[in-house]
Amino acid sequence: MVMISVVVGTRPEIIKMGPIVLELQKRDMEFDIVHTAQHYDMELSAVFFDDLGLPAPTHTLDVGSGSQAEQTAEALRKLEGTFEETAPSVVLVEGDTNTVLAGALAAAKMGIDVGHVEAGLRSHDLRMPEEHNRRLTDHLSSLLFAPTETAKENLERENVWGRIWVTGNTVIDACMTFMRTAEEKSEVLDRVRFDEFSLATAHRKENVDDPEVLSHLVEIFTECPVPVVYPVHPRAVKMLKEFHLYEKLSESKNVQLLPPVGYLDFLLLMRECEFILTDSGGIQEEATSPNIRKKVFVLRISTERPEAVEAGYAEVVGTGSGDVLSAVGRYLEKREALAGPSPYGDGKSSEEIVSILREKPS
Ligand code: UD1
Ligand code: UDP
C-alpha cells in the first residue's frame, strides 16, 4: 500500500492540503502529516487544523523563521531525518514555499517519489522566492497535479520529467466544503465596524520588505473609497513598525486592522466584502469560487494566476497608489457582474488527486 507523507509548513499549505487529508482519511489510506512549523503562531497554523477538522501533525519540526537559506536548509535537514524514520512511498507537497522546496529536495535525494500539488504556476518574476521554489519543485516531482491547462502547458514547455494531471485547485474544495461551517460558527462579521467594506491582505516579501512599496500600500488602504478591513500578516506588522508606517494605518478611520483570522472567519469576510485588495496567491483563486465571486485587485506587477485575470475576476494593478486607486474607482463606477465559472475547478480536486495516488503502484 502507498504510504503518503503530507508535508505542510505555512497557512496556505494547511488550507490547500486540508481537503486532501480529509479525502485520504475518508478512503482509509495510509498517511502521515509532517509540519515543518515554518509558520508556528497559533493564528497562522493551529487555527487551520481546528477550523478544517484535521488530525494533528504526526511530526512537528520547529523550523521556524530565518533567512531564505537558513529556513530552507533547516527544513531540508529535518525533513530528511523524518523521512528516514517514516519511509514514505510518496512525499506530497503543495505550492511554492521554502517548506515545499525542502520537502521535494529531501525526498528526491532519497529516491522517494514527490507529488506536487499546484504544479506549473509561473510568475516569471525571479525576485520572488516562491518562483525559485515552484520551478525547482516541479523539476524534482514525479507526480505533477497542475490546477489548469495553462499550468500544464508551462510544465510541458520546460520538459519536466514527471507525469502531469490537470486536477483543478484544492482551494476551491476548501471554499465549497467550509463555507457552511463558517456560516454556523464564525462571528467575525459582528466585529467589522463598517456597513460596507473592502478586504485587504499584503505579505509578499517584495512588497512589504520594500519601504517605498509599503508606504504606497498604506496610502491605498487609508484612501480607498470603500473602507478597508485588513487582517495583518506578522511579516507586514514587523515591516510596518520598522518603517514607521504602523501608526498611520492603525489610526486611520478608513482602516480596521485585525490580527490574521482563521479560515472560517476569512471565508465570510471574502463573501461579504465589496472587493479584495491583495498580493496573496490563494485569495486570487478563492475569489473565483462559486460561493465567493469577488473582484480582486492584485497588488503586484505579475501574477502566476493568469486564469483568474482571463475569467474577469482578477486585475493586476501594480503597487503604485495612483494606479491602484484609479482602478478601484473605475470598477466602482460600473461594478460589472462577474459571470464566469471558476477556472480552478468544481471543488472535486482532492478526490481526483487521491484517486491518482491510490492507483499508483507502491
Ligand atoms: C511564507 C511563504 C509565502 C507564503 C506565506 C503564506 C516562503 C518563501 N514564503 O511567507 O510564499 O505566501 O508564507 O502566508 O516560503 N512570522 C511570525 N509568526 C509565524 C511565522 C512567521 O511572526 O508563525 C513572522 C516572522 O517575523 C518571519 C516572517 O513572519 O520572519 C516571515 O515568515 P516566513 O515564513 O519566512 O515567510 P512569509 O512571509 O510568512
Ligand atoms: N487567509 C486566512 N486568514 C487571513 C488571511 C488569509 O485564513 O487572515 C487564508 C486565505 O483564505 C487563503 C490563504 O490564507 O486561503 C492565503 O494565504 P496567504 O495569502 O498567506 O498565502 P499565499 O496564498 O499568498 O501563498
Side-chain angles (χ1 to χ4, degrees), residues 9-13 37-45 64-68 71-72 96-100 128-130 133-134 203-205 208-209 233-236 238 279-282:
T10 68
R11 165 167 81 184
E13 293 162 73
Q38 174 176 339
H39 282 177
Y40 40 87
D41 282 343
M42 191 274 288
E43 57 204 12
L44 289 187
S45 173
S65 305
S67 71
Q68 295 293 312
Q71 191 177 55
T72 311
D96 52 22
T97 67
N98 291 340
T99 291
V100 170
M128 299 178 70
E130 293 83 0
N133 294 340
R134 57 172 84 97
H203 73 284
R204 293 249 95 79
K205 184 173 181 291
V208 302
D209 289 13
H233 187 289
R235 177 183 209 114
K238 189 171 79 175
D279 62 8
S280 164

